[in-house]
Amino acid sequence: MAECIFCQIAAGHKPATIVYQDEHIVAFKDRAPKAAIHLLVIPRKHIRNLNDLQAGDEIILAHLLMKIPQIARENGLLDGYRTITNTGRGGRQEVYHIHFHLLGGGNLPSI
Ligand code: AMP
């Protein structure tokens, strides 16, 4: 999607501090961190959110989720972390390219 900021980051057309990438996913620093460490993990494929998942996306999503422990470890989140994905207006989603927030590195508030 040409106008999607996260597609542009994944394609290397917009700047971001990328901490991990492979064939299917990209992880980069959130530009407005809400925790000492705040990363976003996205699939390269443009999927709007959980409600937009289609048959076949299992492979990408499973890969993304299974990479999170490695990305967390490599970025110093040795004591645990929080993962969040916001879906739609009710979930206060701002960027409509599915992403998993990876937060930690300090005292997070309980939810
Ligand atoms: P959400 O409310 O789940 O859609 O959150 C979107 C997140 O993307 C927010 O935490 C923003 O700070 C972050 N964000 C938006 N644009 C960029 C960007 N160009 N580079 C890094 N993070 C971004």
Side-chain angles (χ1 to χ4, degrees):
M1 285 266 294
E3 68 274 21
C4 169
I5 182 68
F6 286 0
C7 283
Q8 291 172 9
I9 288 172
H13 297 153
K14 286 281 183 204
T17 305
I18 291 175
V19 299
Y20 177 83
Q21 58 182 321
D22 65 25
E23 181 187 356
H24 293 300
I25 67 168
V26 181
F28 53 95
K29 292 188 179 178
D30 195 294
R31 71 174 176 190
K34 317 296 187 304
I37 297 171
H38 185 175
L39 307 176
L40 300 172
V41 189
I42 67 167
R44 290 188 185 276
K45 180 180 177 186
H46 184 79
I47 299 168
R48 282 168 54 82
N49 57 34
L50 290 176
N51 286 342
D52 189 34
L53 287 170
Q54 294 172 359
D57 291 337
E58 298 92 330
I59 293 167
I60 296 170
L61 256 290
H63 176 73
L64 187 156
L65 290 174
M66 292 182 73
K67 277 289 173 190
I68 284 179
Q70 176 190 332
I71 294 166
R73 197 169 53 246
E74 290 177 356
N75 285 275
L77 292 170
L78 304 179
D79 192 33
Y81 47 86
R82 178 172 292 161
T83 44
I84 297 173
T85 185
N86 295 325
T87 301
R89 200 157 50 107
R92 302 280 301 271
Q93 184 178 6
E94 289 174 19
V95 178
Y96 277 75
H97 180 128
I98 194 169
H99 51 278
F100 288 77
H101 296 260
L102 181 48
L103 301 139
N107 288 332
L108 295 174
S110 296
I111 59 167

mmCIF file with all atom_site columns, all heavy atoms in Angstrom, residues 5-6 9 15-16 28-34 38 40 85-86 91-96 99 101, ligand 1:
data_model
loop_
_atom_site.group_PDB
_atom_site.id
_atom_site.type_symbol
_atom_site.label_atom_id
_atom_site.label_alt_id
_atom_site.label_comp_id
_atom_site.label_asym_id
_atom_site.label_entity_id
_atom_site.label_seq_id
_atom_site.pdbx_PDB_ins_code
_atom_site.Cartn_x
_atom_site.Cartn_y
_atom_site.Cartn_z
_atom_site.occupancy
_atom_site.B_iso_or_equiv
_atom_site.pdbx_formal_charge
_atom_site.auth_seq_id
_atom_site.auth_comp_id
_atom_site.auth_asym_id
_atom_site.auth_atom_id
_atom_site.pdbx_PDB_model_num
ATOM   1   N N   . ILE A 1 5   ? 2.368   4.184  5.980  1.00 0.00 ? 5   ILE A N   1
ATOM   2   C CA  . ILE A 1 5   ? 3.671   4.533  6.537  1.00 0.00 ? 5   ILE A CA  1
ATOM   3   C C   . ILE A 1 5   ? 4.476   3.289  6.925  1.00 0.00 ? 5   ILE A C   1
ATOM   4   O O   . ILE A 1 5   ? 5.706   3.248  6.725  1.00 0.00 ? 5   ILE A O   1
ATOM   5   C CB  . ILE A 1 5   ? 3.526   5.512  7.731  1.00 0.00 ? 5   ILE A CB  1
ATOM   6   C CG1 . ILE A 1 5   ? 4.883   5.927  8.277  1.00 0.00 ? 5   ILE A CG1 1
ATOM   7   C CG2 . ILE A 1 5   ? 2.671   4.947  8.831  1.00 0.00 ? 5   ILE A CG2 1
ATOM   8   C CD1 . ILE A 1 5   ? 5.698   6.782  7.381  1.00 0.00 ? 5   ILE A CD1 1
ATOM   9   N N   . PHE A 1 6   ? 3.811   2.280  7.445  1.00 0.00 ? 6   PHE A N   1
ATOM   10  C CA  . PHE A 1 6   ? 4.564   1.083  7.858  1.00 0.00 ? 6   PHE A CA  1
ATOM   11  C C   . PHE A 1 6   ? 4.998   0.260  6.639  1.00 0.00 ? 6   PHE A C   1
ATOM   12  O O   . PHE A 1 6   ? 6.081   -0.346 6.672  1.00 0.00 ? 6   PHE A O   1
ATOM   13  C CB  . PHE A 1 6   ? 3.752   0.242  8.843  1.00 0.00 ? 6   PHE A CB  1
ATOM   14  C CG  . PHE A 1 6   ? 3.666   0.836  10.235 1.00 0.00 ? 6   PHE A CG  1
ATOM   15  C CD1 . PHE A 1 6   ? 4.279   2.046  10.543 1.00 0.00 ? 6   PHE A CD1 1
ATOM   16  C CD2 . PHE A 1 6   ? 2.974   0.181  11.243 1.00 0.00 ? 6   PHE A CD2 1
ATOM   17  C CE1 . PHE A 1 6   ? 4.206   2.603  11.820 1.00 0.00 ? 6   PHE A CE1 1
ATOM   18  C CE2 . PHE A 1 6   ? 2.901   0.714  12.529 1.00 0.00 ? 6   PHE A CE2 1
ATOM   19  C CZ  . PHE A 1 6   ? 3.509   1.929  12.811 1.00 0.00 ? 6   PHE A CZ  1
ATOM   20  N N   . ILE A 1 9   ? 8.116   2.030  5.607  1.00 0.00 ? 9   ILE A N   1
ATOM   21  C CA  . ILE A 1 9   ? 9.245   1.690  6.485  1.00 0.00 ? 9   ILE A CA  1
ATOM   22  C C   . ILE A 1 9   ? 9.766   0.299  6.116  1.00 0.00 ? 9   ILE A C   1
ATOM   23  O O   . ILE A 1 9   ? 10.980  0.090  5.978  1.00 0.00 ? 9   ILE A O   1
ATOM   24  C CB  . ILE A 1 9   ? 8.823   1.769  7.961  1.00 0.00 ? 9   ILE A CB  1
ATOM   25  C CG1 . ILE A 1 9   ? 8.650   3.243  8.374  1.00 0.00 ? 9   ILE A CG1 1
ATOM   26  C CG2 . ILE A 1 9   ? 9.837   1.059  8.863  1.00 0.00 ? 9   ILE A CG2 1
ATOM   27  C CD1 . ILE A 1 9   ? 8.062   3.449  9.756  1.00 0.00 ? 9   ILE A CD1 1
ATOM   28  N N   . PRO A 1 15  ? 12.412  6.531  6.911  1.00 0.00 ? 15  PRO A N   1
ATOM   29  C CA  . PRO A 1 15  ? 13.386  6.193  7.943  1.00 0.00 ? 15  PRO A CA  1
ATOM   30  C C   . PRO A 1 15  ? 12.738  5.592  9.189  1.00 0.00 ? 15  PRO A C   1
ATOM   31  O O   . PRO A 1 15  ? 11.614  5.948  9.553  1.00 0.00 ? 15  PRO A O   1
ATOM   32  C CB  . PRO A 1 15  ? 14.033  7.546  8.273  1.00 0.00 ? 15  PRO A CB  1
ATOM   33  C CG  . PRO A 1 15  ? 13.033  8.565  7.861  1.00 0.00 ? 15  PRO A CG  1
ATOM   34  C CD  . PRO A 1 15  ? 12.250  7.983  6.728  1.00 0.00 ? 15  PRO A CD  1
ATOM   35  N N   . ALA A 1 16  ? 13.467  4.671  9.785  1.00 0.00 ? 16  ALA A N   1
ATOM   36  C CA  . ALA A 1 16  ? 13.071  4.094  11.079 1.00 0.00 ? 16  ALA A CA  1
ATOM   37  C C   . ALA A 1 16  ? 14.316  3.413  11.621 1.00 0.00 ? 16  ALA A C   1
ATOM   38  O O   . ALA A 1 16  ? 15.226  3.054  10.860 1.00 0.00 ? 16  ALA A O   1
ATOM   39  C CB  . ALA A 1 16  ? 11.939  3.089  10.916 1.00 0.00 ? 16  ALA A CB  1
ATOM   40  N N   . PHE A 1 28  ? 11.003  -2.307 14.513 1.00 0.00 ? 28  PHE A N   1
ATOM   41  C CA  . PHE A 1 28  ? 11.670  -1.005 14.606 1.00 0.00 ? 28  PHE A CA  1
ATOM   42  C C   . PHE A 1 28  ? 11.211  -0.269 15.848 1.00 0.00 ? 28  PHE A C   1
ATOM   43  O O   . PHE A 1 28  ? 10.203  -0.620 16.471 1.00 0.00 ? 28  PHE A O   1
ATOM   44  C CB  . PHE A 1 28  ? 11.412  -0.161 13.342 1.00 0.00 ? 28  PHE A CB  1
ATOM   45  C CG  . PHE A 1 28  ? 9.956   -0.004 12.969 1.00 0.00 ? 28  PHE A CG  1
ATOM   46  C CD1 . PHE A 1 28  ? 9.233   1.108  13.390 1.00 0.00 ? 28  PHE A CD1 1
ATOM   47  C CD2 . PHE A 1 28  ? 9.298   -0.956 12.217 1.00 0.00 ? 28  PHE A CD2 1
ATOM   48  C CE1 . PHE A 1 28  ? 7.895   1.268  13.057 1.00 0.00 ? 28  PHE A CE1 1
ATOM   49  C CE2 . PHE A 1 28  ? 7.953   -0.821 11.874 1.00 0.00 ? 28  PHE A CE2 1
ATOM   50  C CZ  . PHE A 1 28  ? 7.258   0.291  12.293 1.00 0.00 ? 28  PHE A CZ  1
ATOM   51  N N   . LYS A 1 29  ? 11.981  0.766  16.202 1.00 0.00 ? 29  LYS A N   1
ATOM   52  C CA  . LYS A 1 29  ? 11.664  1.528  17.406 1.00 0.00 ? 29  LYS A CA  1
ATOM   53  C C   . LYS A 1 29  ? 10.455  2.419  17.162 1.00 0.00 ? 29  LYS A C   1
ATOM   54  O O   . LYS A 1 29  ? 10.360  3.081  16.111 1.00 0.00 ? 29  LYS A O   1
ATOM   55  C CB  . LYS A 1 29  ? 12.868  2.376  17.833 1.00 0.00 ? 29  LYS A CB  1
ATOM   56  C CG  . LYS A 1 29  ? 14.033  1.532  18.315 1.00 0.00 ? 29  LYS A CG  1
ATOM   57  C CD  . LYS A 1 29  ? 15.135  2.388  18.901 1.00 0.00 ? 29  LYS A CD  1
ATOM   58  C CE  . LYS A 1 29  ? 16.272  1.492  19.395 1.00 0.00 ? 29  LYS A CE  1
ATOM   59  N NZ  . LYS A 1 29  ? 17.402  2.265  19.944 1.00 0.00 ? 29  LYS A NZ  1
ATOM   60  N N   . ASP A 1 30  ? 9.545   2.442  18.138 1.00 0.00 ? 30  ASP A N   1
ATOM   61  C CA  . ASP A 1 30  ? 8.423   3.372  18.066 1.00 0.00 ? 30  ASP A CA  1
ATOM   62  C C   . ASP A 1 30  ? 8.964   4.798  18.188 1.00 0.00 ? 30  ASP A C   1
ATOM   63  O O   . ASP A 1 30  ? 9.831   5.076  19.008 1.00 0.00 ? 30  ASP A O   1
ATOM   64  C CB  . ASP A 1 30  ? 7.424   3.084  19.198 1.00 0.00 ? 30  ASP A CB  1
ATOM   65  C CG  . ASP A 1 30  ? 6.085   3.763  18.967 1.00 0.00 ? 30  ASP A CG  1
ATOM   66  O OD1 . ASP A 1 30  ? 6.045   5.018  18.997 1.00 0.00 ? 30  ASP A OD1 1
ATOM   67  O OD2 . ASP A 1 30  ? 5.100   3.051  18.758 1.00 0.00 ? 30  ASP A OD2 1
ATOM   68  N N   . ARG A 1 31  ? 8.433   5.701  17.369 1.00 0.00 ? 31  ARG A N   1
ATOM   69  C CA  . ARG A 1 31  ? 8.973   7.076  17.363 1.00 0.00 ? 31  ARG A CA  1
ATOM   70  C C   . ARG A 1 31  ? 8.514   7.871  18.578 1.00 0.00 ? 31  ARG A C   1
ATOM   71  O O   . ARG A 1 31  ? 9.047   8.953  18.853 1.00 0.00 ? 31  ARG A O   1
ATOM   72  C CB  . ARG A 1 31  ? 8.578   7.798  16.070 1.00 0.00 ? 31  ARG A CB  1
ATOM   73  C CG  . ARG A 1 31  ? 7.122   8.141  15.985 1.00 0.00 ? 31  ARG A CG  1
ATOM   74  C CD  . ARG A 1 31  ? 6.830   8.977  14.771 1.00 0.00 ? 31  ARG A CD  1
ATOM   75  N NE  . ARG A 1 31  ? 5.396   9.215  14.681 1.00 0.00 ? 31  ARG A NE  1
ATOM   76  C CZ  . ARG A 1 31  ? 4.794   9.746  13.638 1.00 0.00 ? 31  ARG A CZ  1
ATOM   77  N NH1 . ARG A 1 31  ? 5.506   10.096 12.581 1.00 0.00 ? 31  ARG A NH1 1
ATOM   78  N NH2 . ARG A 1 31  ? 3.510   9.937  13.640 1.00 0.00 ? 31  ARG A NH2 1
ATOM   79  N N   . ALA A 1 32  ? 7.513   7.388  19.270 1.00 0.00 ? 32  ALA A N   1
ATOM   80  C CA  . ALA A 1 32  ? 7.024   8.071  20.479 1.00 0.00 ? 32  ALA A CA  1
ATOM   81  C C   . ALA A 1 32  ? 6.919   7.031  21.593 1.00 0.00 ? 32  ALA A C   1
ATOM   82  O O   . ALA A 1 32  ? 5.819   6.598  21.949 1.00 0.00 ? 32  ALA A O   1
ATOM   83  C CB  . ALA A 1 32  ? 5.679   8.731  20.204 1.00 0.00 ? 32  ALA A CB  1
ATOM   84  N N   . PRO A 1 33  ? 8.050   6.615  22.123 1.00 0.00 ? 33  PRO A N   1
ATOM   85  C CA  . PRO A 1 33  ? 8.047   5.459  23.034 1.00 0.00 ? 33  PRO A CA  1
ATOM   86  C C   . PRO A 1 33  ? 7.219   5.692  24.292 1.00 0.00 ? 33  PRO A C   1
ATOM   87  O O   . PRO A 1 33  ? 7.274   6.750  24.904 1.00 0.00 ? 33  PRO A O   1
ATOM   88  C CB  . PRO A 1 33  ? 9.533   5.268  23.366 1.00 0.00 ? 33  PRO A CB  1
ATOM   89  C CG  . PRO A 1 33  ? 10.219  6.525  22.964 1.00 0.00 ? 33  PRO A CG  1
ATOM   90  C CD  . PRO A 1 33  ? 9.393   7.151  21.883 1.00 0.00 ? 33  PRO A CD  1
ATOM   91  N N   . LYS A 1 34  ? 6.455   4.669  24.667 1.00 0.00 ? 34  LYS A N   1
ATOM   92  C CA  . LYS A 1 34  ? 5.620   4.700  25.872 1.00 0.00 ? 34  LYS A CA  1
ATOM   93  C C   . LYS A 1 34  ? 6.247   3.875  26.993 1.00 0.00 ? 34  LYS A C   1
ATOM   94  O O   . LYS A 1 34  ? 5.620   3.644  28.020 1.00 0.00 ? 34  LYS A O   1
ATOM   95  C CB  . LYS A 1 34  ? 4.222   4.141  25.587 1.00 0.00 ? 34  LYS A CB  1
ATOM   96  C CG  . LYS A 1 34  ? 3.580   4.591  24.286 1.00 0.00 ? 34  LYS A CG  1
ATOM   97  C CD  . LYS A 1 34  ? 3.293   6.055  24.213 1.00 0.00 ? 34  LYS A CD  1
ATOM   98  C CE  . LYS A 1 34  ? 2.498   6.453  22.962 1.00 0.00 ? 34  LYS A CE  1
ATOM   99  N NZ  . LYS A 1 34  ? 3.069   6.092  21.661 1.00 0.00 ? 34  LYS A NZ  1
ATOM   100 N N   . HIS A 1 38  ? 10.488  0.412  23.503 1.00 0.00 ? 38  HIS A N   1
ATOM   101 C CA  . HIS A 1 38  ? 9.183   0.307  22.822 1.00 0.00 ? 38  HIS A CA  1
ATOM   102 C C   . HIS A 1 38  ? 9.455   0.050  21.347 1.00 0.00 ? 38  HIS A C   1
ATOM   103 O O   . HIS A 1 38  ? 9.879   0.946  20.607 1.00 0.00 ? 38  HIS A O   1
ATOM   104 C CB  . HIS A 1 38  ? 8.388   1.602  23.012 1.00 0.00 ? 38  HIS A CB  1
ATOM   105 C CG  . HIS A 1 38  ? 6.992   1.541  22.452 1.00 0.00 ? 38  HIS A CG  1
ATOM   106 N ND1 . HIS A 1 38  ? 6.098   2.575  22.608 1.00 0.00 ? 38  HIS A ND1 1
ATOM   107 C CD2 . HIS A 1 38  ? 6.326   0.588  21.733 1.00 0.00 ? 38  HIS A CD2 1
ATOM   108 C CE1 . HIS A 1 38  ? 4.951   2.266  22.016 1.00 0.00 ? 38  HIS A CE1 1
ATOM   109 N NE2 . HIS A 1 38  ? 5.082   1.056  21.463 1.00 0.00 ? 38  HIS A NE2 1
ATOM   110 N N   . LEU A 1 40  ? 8.034   -1.863 17.623 1.00 0.00 ? 40  LEU A N   1
ATOM   111 C CA  . LEU A 1 40  ? 6.862   -2.294 16.855 1.00 0.00 ? 40  LEU A CA  1
ATOM   112 C C   . LEU A 1 40  ? 7.300   -3.424 15.937 1.00 0.00 ? 40  LEU A C   1
ATOM   113 O O   . LEU A 1 40  ? 8.348   -3.314 15.279 1.00 0.00 ? 40  LEU A O   1
ATOM   114 C CB  . LEU A 1 40  ? 6.315   -1.136 16.017 1.00 0.00 ? 40  LEU A CB  1
ATOM   115 C CG  . LEU A 1 40  ? 5.870   0.103  16.799 1.00 0.00 ? 40  LEU A CG  1
ATOM   116 C CD1 . LEU A 1 40  ? 5.533   1.241  15.833 1.00 0.00 ? 40  LEU A CD1 1
ATOM   117 C CD2 . LEU A 1 40  ? 4.679   -0.208 17.697 1.00 0.00 ? 40  LEU A CD2 1
ATOM   118 N N   . THR A 1 85  ? -1.601  -5.454 20.632 1.00 0.00 ? 85  THR A N   1
ATOM   119 C CA  . THR A 1 85  ? -2.007  -5.052 19.283 1.00 0.00 ? 85  THR A CA  1
ATOM   120 C C   . THR A 1 85  ? -3.382  -4.397 19.384 1.00 0.00 ? 85  THR A C   1
ATOM   121 O O   . THR A 1 85  ? -4.317  -4.970 19.954 1.00 0.00 ? 85  THR A O   1
ATOM   122 C CB  . THR A 1 85  ? -1.983  -6.225 18.279 1.00 0.00 ? 85  THR A CB  1
ATOM   123 O OG1 . THR A 1 85  ? -2.266  -5.728 16.976 1.00 0.00 ? 85  THR A OG1 1
ATOM   124 C CG2 . THR A 1 85  ? -2.957  -7.332 18.627 1.00 0.00 ? 85  THR A CG2 1
ATOM   125 N N   . ASN A 1 86  ? -3.476  -3.170 18.917 1.00 0.00 ? 86  ASN A N   1
ATOM   126 C CA  . ASN A 1 86  ? -4.724  -2.425 18.961 1.00 0.00 ? 86  ASN A CA  1
ATOM   127 C C   . ASN A 1 86  ? -5.503  -2.686 17.677 1.00 0.00 ? 86  ASN A C   1
ATOM   128 O O   . ASN A 1 86  ? -4.920  -2.685 16.589 1.00 0.00 ? 86  ASN A O   1
ATOM   129 C CB  . ASN A 1 86  ? -4.446  -0.921 19.107 1.00 0.00 ? 86  ASN A CB  1
ATOM   130 C CG  . ASN A 1 86  ? -3.786  -0.588 20.430 1.00 0.00 ? 86  ASN A CG  1
ATOM   131 O OD1 . ASN A 1 86  ? -4.078  -1.214 21.447 1.00 0.00 ? 86  ASN A OD1 1
ATOM   132 N ND2 . ASN A 1 86  ? -2.891  0.390  20.433 1.00 0.00 ? 86  ASN A ND2 1
ATOM   133 N N   . GLY A 1 91  ? -10.240 0.035  19.689 1.00 0.00 ? 91  GLY A N   1
ATOM   134 C CA  . GLY A 1 91  ? -8.951  -0.324 20.283 1.00 0.00 ? 91  GLY A CA  1
ATOM   135 C C   . GLY A 1 91  ? -7.945  0.804  20.214 1.00 0.00 ? 91  GLY A C   1
ATOM   136 O O   . GLY A 1 91  ? -6.772  0.596  20.550 1.00 0.00 ? 91  GLY A O   1
ATOM   137 N N   . ARG A 1 92  ? -8.392  1.983  19.749 1.00 0.00 ? 92  ARG A N   1
ATOM   138 C CA  . ARG A 1 92  ? -7.533  3.174  19.611 1.00 0.00 ? 92  ARG A CA  1
ATOM   139 C C   . ARG A 1 92  ? -6.372  2.923  18.653 1.00 0.00 ? 92  ARG A C   1
ATOM   140 O O   . ARG A 1 92  ? -5.255  3.408  18.872 1.00 0.00 ? 92  ARG A O   1
ATOM   141 C CB  . ARG A 1 92  ? -7.016  3.643  20.979 1.00 0.00 ? 92  ARG A CB  1
ATOM   142 C CG  . ARG A 1 92  ? -8.107  3.984  21.985 1.00 0.00 ? 92  ARG A CG  1
ATOM   143 C CD  . ARG A 1 92  ? -8.696  5.363  21.772 1.00 0.00 ? 92  ARG A CD  1
ATOM   144 N NE  . ARG A 1 92  ? -7.711  6.425  21.857 1.00 0.00 ? 92  ARG A NE  1
ATOM   145 C CZ  . ARG A 1 92  ? -7.370  7.055  22.979 1.00 0.00 ? 92  ARG A CZ  1
ATOM   146 N NH1 . ARG A 1 92  ? -7.911  6.688  24.122 1.00 0.00 ? 92  ARG A NH1 1
ATOM   147 N NH2 . ARG A 1 92  ? -6.505  8.033  22.952 1.00 0.00 ? 92  ARG A NH2 1
ATOM   148 N N   . GLN A 1 93  ? -6.625  2.156  17.589 1.00 0.00 ? 93  GLN A N   1
ATOM   149 C CA  . GLN A 1 93  ? -5.583  1.927  16.575 1.00 0.00 ? 93  GLN A CA  1
ATOM   150 C C   . GLN A 1 93  ? -5.375  3.204  15.771 1.00 0.00 ? 93  GLN A C   1
ATOM   151 O O   . GLN A 1 93  ? -6.347  3.821  15.318 1.00 0.00 ? 93  GLN A O   1
ATOM   152 C CB  . GLN A 1 93  ? -6.007  0.779  15.644 1.00 0.00 ? 93  GLN A CB  1
ATOM   153 C CG  . GLN A 1 93  ? -4.945  0.412  14.614 1.00 0.00 ? 93  GLN A CG  1
ATOM   154 C CD  . GLN A 1 93  ? -5.359  -0.771 13.733 1.00 0.00 ? 93  GLN A CD  1
ATOM   155 O OE1 . GLN A 1 93  ? -6.484  -1.263 13.809 1.00 0.00 ? 93  GLN A OE1 1
ATOM   156 N NE2 . GLN A 1 93  ? -4.438  -1.225 12.898 1.00 0.00 ? 93  GLN A NE2 1
ATOM   157 N N   . GLU A 1 94  ? -4.117  3.614  15.627 1.00 0.00 ? 94  GLU A N   1
ATOM   158 C CA  . GLU A 1 94  ? -3.792  4.828  14.871 1.00 0.00 ? 94  GLU A CA  1
ATOM   159 C C   . GLU A 1 94  ? -3.267  4.499  13.480 1.00 0.00 ? 94  GLU A C   1
ATOM   160 O O   . GLU A 1 94  ? -3.574  5.197  12.515 1.00 0.00 ? 94  GLU A O   1
ATOM   161 C CB  . GLU A 1 94  ? -2.724  5.648  15.605 1.00 0.00 ? 94  GLU A CB  1
ATOM   162 C CG  . GLU A 1 94  ? -3.217  6.313  16.860 1.00 0.00 ? 94  GLU A CG  1
ATOM   163 C CD  . GLU A 1 94  ? -2.075  6.983  17.614 1.00 0.00 ? 94  GLU A CD  1
ATOM   164 O OE1 . GLU A 1 94  ? -1.015  7.236  17.018 1.00 0.00 ? 94  GLU A OE1 1
ATOM   165 O OE2 . GLU A 1 94  ? -2.251  7.218  18.819 1.00 0.00 ? 94  GLU A OE2 1
ATOM   166 N N   . VAL A 1 95  ? -2.445  3.478  13.398 1.00 0.00 ? 95  VAL A N   1
ATOM   167 C CA  . VAL A 1 95  ? -1.836  3.105  12.116 1.00 0.00 ? 95  VAL A CA  1
ATOM   168 C C   . VAL A 1 95  ? -2.452  1.780  11.663 1.00 0.00 ? 95  VAL A C   1
ATOM   169 O O   . VAL A 1 95  ? -2.339  0.767  12.360 1.00 0.00 ? 95  VAL A O   1
ATOM   170 C CB  . VAL A 1 95  ? -0.306  2.974  12.234 1.00 0.00 ? 95  VAL A CB  1
ATOM   171 C CG1 . VAL A 1 95  ? 0.300   2.540  10.902 1.00 0.00 ? 95  VAL A CG1 1
ATOM   172 C CG2 . VAL A 1 95  ? 0.318   4.296  12.693 1.00 0.00 ? 95  VAL A CG2 1
ATOM   173 N N   . TYR A 1 96  ? -3.103  1.828  10.489 1.00 0.00 ? 96  TYR A N   1
ATOM   174 C CA  . TYR A 1 96  ? -3.853  0.656  10.023 1.00 0.00 ? 96  TYR A CA  1
ATOM   175 C C   . TYR A 1 96  ? -2.973  -0.273 9.174  1.00 0.00 ? 96  TYR A C   1
ATOM   176 O O   . TYR A 1 96  ? -3.281  -0.550 8.002  1.00 0.00 ? 96  TYR A O   1
ATOM   177 C CB  . TYR A 1 96  ? -5.131  1.112  9.315  1.00 0.00 ? 96  TYR A CB  1
ATOM   178 C CG  . TYR A 1 96  ? -6.218  1.400  10.336 1.00 0.00 ? 96  TYR A CG  1
ATOM   179 C CD1 . TYR A 1 96  ? -6.173  2.570  11.107 1.00 0.00 ? 96  TYR A CD1 1
ATOM   180 C CD2 . TYR A 1 96  ? -7.239  0.501  10.574 1.00 0.00 ? 96  TYR A CD2 1
ATOM   181 C CE1 . TYR A 1 96  ? -7.135  2.820  12.070 1.00 0.00 ? 96  TYR A CE1 1
ATOM   182 C CE2 . TYR A 1 96  ? -8.207  0.755  11.533 1.00 0.00 ? 96  TYR A CE2 1
ATOM   183 C CZ  . TYR A 1 96  ? -8.151  1.901  12.279 1.00 0.00 ? 96  TYR A CZ  1
ATOM   184 O OH  . TYR A 1 96  ? -9.103  2.135  13.252 1.00 0.00 ? 96  TYR A OH  1
ATOM   185 N N   . HIS A 1 99  ? 0.333   -4.295 13.779 1.00 0.00 ? 99  HIS A N   1
ATOM   186 C CA  . HIS A 1 99  ? 1.624   -4.217 14.458 1.00 0.00 ? 99  HIS A CA  1
ATOM   187 C C   . HIS A 1 99  ? 1.460   -4.677 15.891 1.00 0.00 ? 99  HIS A C   1
ATOM   188 O O   . HIS A 1 99  ? 0.391   -4.508 16.495 1.00 0.00 ? 99  HIS A O   1
ATOM   189 C CB  . HIS A 1 99  ? 2.205   -2.800 14.413 1.00 0.00 ? 99  HIS A CB  1
ATOM   190 C CG  . HIS A 1 99  ? 1.249   -1.737 14.858 1.00 0.00 ? 99  HIS A CG  1
ATOM   191 N ND1 . HIS A 1 99  ? 0.289   -1.215 14.016 1.00 0.00 ? 99  HIS A ND1 1
ATOM   192 C CD2 . HIS A 1 99  ? 1.097   -1.102 16.047 1.00 0.00 ? 99  HIS A CD2 1
ATOM   193 C CE1 . HIS A 1 99  ? -0.408  -0.303 14.671 1.00 0.00 ? 99  HIS A CE1 1
ATOM   194 N NE2 . HIS A 1 99  ? 0.055   -0.216 15.917 1.00 0.00 ? 99  HIS A NE2 1
ATOM   195 N N   . HIS A 1 101 ? 2.998   -3.996 19.506 1.00 0.00 ? 101 HIS A N   1
ATOM   196 C CA  . HIS A 1 101 ? 3.860   -3.198 20.370 1.00 0.00 ? 101 HIS A CA  1
ATOM   197 C C   . HIS A 1 101 ? 4.600   -4.174 21.294 1.00 0.00 ? 101 HIS A C   1
ATOM   198 O O   . HIS A 1 101 ? 3.999   -5.106 21.839 1.00 0.00 ? 101 HIS A O   1
ATOM   199 C CB  . HIS A 1 101 ? 3.029   -2.264 21.248 1.00 0.00 ? 101 HIS A CB  1
ATOM   200 C CG  . HIS A 1 101 ? 2.258   -1.230 20.495 1.00 0.00 ? 101 HIS A CG  1
ATOM   201 N ND1 . HIS A 1 101 ? 2.686   0.068  20.372 1.00 0.00 ? 101 HIS A ND1 1
ATOM   202 C CD2 . HIS A 1 101 ? 1.068   -1.289 19.846 1.00 0.00 ? 101 HIS A CD2 1
ATOM   203 C CE1 . HIS A 1 101 ? 1.794   0.768  19.675 1.00 0.00 ? 101 HIS A CE1 1
ATOM   204 N NE2 . HIS A 1 101 ? 0.799   -0.038 19.341 1.00 0.00 ? 101 HIS A NE2 1
HETATM 205 P P1  . AMP B 2 .   ? -1.453  2.169  17.369 1.00 0.00 ? 1   AMP B P1  1
HETATM 206 O O1  . AMP B 2 .   ? -2.269  3.097  18.212 1.00 0.00 ? 1   AMP B O1  1
HETATM 207 O O2  . AMP B 2 .   ? -1.409  0.787  17.941 1.00 0.00 ? 1   AMP B O2  1
HETATM 208 O O3  . AMP B 2 .   ? -1.896  2.177  15.923 1.00 0.00 ? 1   AMP B O3  1
HETATM 209 O O4  . AMP B 2 .   ? 0.024   2.706  17.474 1.00 0.00 ? 1   AMP B O4  1
HETATM 210 C C1  . AMP B 2 .   ? 0.760   3.220  16.396 1.00 0.00 ? 1   AMP B C1  1
HETATM 211 C C2  . AMP B 2 .   ? 2.152   3.456  16.907 1.00 0.00 ? 1   AMP B C2  1
HETATM 212 O O5  . AMP B 2 .   ? 2.974   3.739  15.788 1.00 0.00 ? 1   AMP B O5  1
HETATM 213 C C3  . AMP B 2 .   ? 2.285   4.623  17.878 1.00 0.00 ? 1   AMP B C3  1
HETATM 214 O O6  . AMP B 2 .   ? 2.890   4.151  19.085 1.00 0.00 ? 1   AMP B O6  1
HETATM 215 C C4  . AMP B 2 .   ? 3.171   5.613  17.141 1.00 0.00 ? 1   AMP B C4  1
HETATM 216 O O7  . AMP B 2 .   ? 4.056   6.306  17.999 1.00 0.00 ? 1   AMP B O7  1
HETATM 217 C C5  . AMP B 2 .   ? 3.920   4.707  16.172 1.00 0.00 ? 1   AMP B C5  1
HETATM 218 N N1  . AMP B 2 .   ? 4.379   5.329  14.933 1.00 0.00 ? 1   AMP B N1  1
HETATM 219 C C6  . AMP B 2 .   ? 3.618   6.019  14.037 1.00 0.00 ? 1   AMP B C6  1
HETATM 220 N N2  . AMP B 2 .   ? 4.375   6.408  12.991 1.00 0.00 ? 1   AMP B N2  1
HETATM 221 C C7  . AMP B 2 .   ? 5.629   5.953  13.215 1.00 0.00 ? 1   AMP B C7  1
HETATM 222 C C8  . AMP B 2 .   ? 6.858   6.026  12.512 1.00 0.00 ? 1   AMP B C8  1
HETATM 223 N N3  . AMP B 2 .   ? 6.955   6.671  11.329 1.00 0.00 ? 1   AMP B N3  1
HETATM 224 N N4  . AMP B 2 .   ? 7.962   5.445  13.044 1.00 0.00 ? 1   AMP B N4  1
HETATM 225 C C9  . AMP B 2 .   ? 7.878   4.798  14.239 1.00 0.00 ? 1   AMP B C9  1
HETATM 226 N N5  . AMP B 2 .   ? 6.746   4.687  14.950 1.00 0.00 ? 1   AMP B N5  1
HETATM 227 C C10 . AMP B 2 .   ? 5.629   5.262  14.461 1.00 0.00 ? 1   AMP B C10 1
#
